[in-house]
Amino acid sequence: MKKELKDTIVVELGQKLKEYPHFYLVDTAGLNAEQTSNLRRKCFKNEIKMVVVKNTLLHKAFEASEIDFSPLYDSLKGNTAVMFTQSANVPAKLLKEYKKDGIPALKAAYAEEGFFVGADKLEELVSIKSKNELIADVVALLQSPVKNVVSGLNAGGKIHGLLDAIKNN
């Protein structure tokens, strides 16, 4: 591979590191062509950009980045595919489907500005809530007391019943 091409790839990887706030390093060794194609299709459906890269080029992109990715350097061995995503837990949920086969295996991840190194971190990554999930939880919590007051008013109960409903919440 020519040096110019390598430099271009490093720059493109650097742009993806800036564009996507979360990424996963995955070992895809052992997947045949059909399985790889299926994985790519699932990634596309889930808005995950999957790129197979040379470890040395990814290492150079990490070094050129403003973020210190040194905790991930030891994970750059063997076959590496990078899954870039806007939502921290989507690739983890996808990888969990494959967990019984062990392929593809999670090497490491950078999600929610934190480092997750090792396949044993998959469950932690699955449990991370996306921004939309957190907003939905907050809205549900805020609506709960209001719903109780409204239902108390609609029940036609007396002031005493309404005050009891407020007191219980």
Side-chain angles (χ1 to χ4, degrees), residues 113-130:
E113 299 180 3
F115 297 100
F116 300 85
V117 179
D120 59 325
K121 301 291 184 184
L122 187 61
E123 289 301 321
E124 274 182 64
L125 289 161
V126 168
S127 67
I128 292 175
K129 291 193 177 195
S130 70

Side-chain angles (χ1 to χ4, degrees), residues 23-89:
F23 64 88
Y24 286 57
L25 303 178
V26 180
D27 183 2
T28 56
L31 290 179
N32 62 31
E34 182 183 348
Q35 292 168 324
T36 303
S37 181
N38 288 337
L39 178 61
R40 287 186 183 277
R41 253 187 250 114
K42 286 182 179 181
C43 286
F44 182 77
K45 287 179 185 175
N46 290 300
E47 298 178 5
I48 300 169
K49 177 87 171 152
M50 185 173 132
V51 181
V52 178
V53 297
K54 287 187 171 264
N55 291 327
T56 54
L57 299 178
L58 184 58
H59 192 280
K60 288 180 182 180
F62 283 164
E63 288 176 340
S65 175
E66 297 169 0
I67 300 170
D68 179 20
F69 289 116
S70 59
L72 301 177
Y73 292 169
D74 289 340
S75 301
L76 299 177
K77 293 181 179 119
N79 225 351
T80 304
V82 185
M83 295 176 144
F84 294 100
T85 182
Q86 295 293 336
S87 181
N89 64 355

Side-chain angles (χ1 to χ4, degrees), residues 103-162:
I103 302 169
L106 175 69
K107 289 181 172 187
Y110 178 75
E112 298 297 339
E113 299 180 3
F115 297 100
F116 300 85
V117 179
D120 59 325
K121 301 291 184 184
L122 187 61
E123 289 301 321
E124 274 182 64
L125 289 161
V126 168
S127 67
I128 292 175
K129 291 193 177 195
S130 70
K131 180 180 177 181
N132 289 340
E133 290 171 329
L134 289 174
I135 290 171
D137 287 349
V138 169
V139 168
L141 287 172
L142 292 174
Q143 285 181 342
S144 180
V146 173
K147 284 182 180 178
N148 290 336
V149 171
V150 170
S151 66
L153 290 172
N154 287 336
K158 300 185 179 182
I159 298 284
H160 178 68
L162 180 60

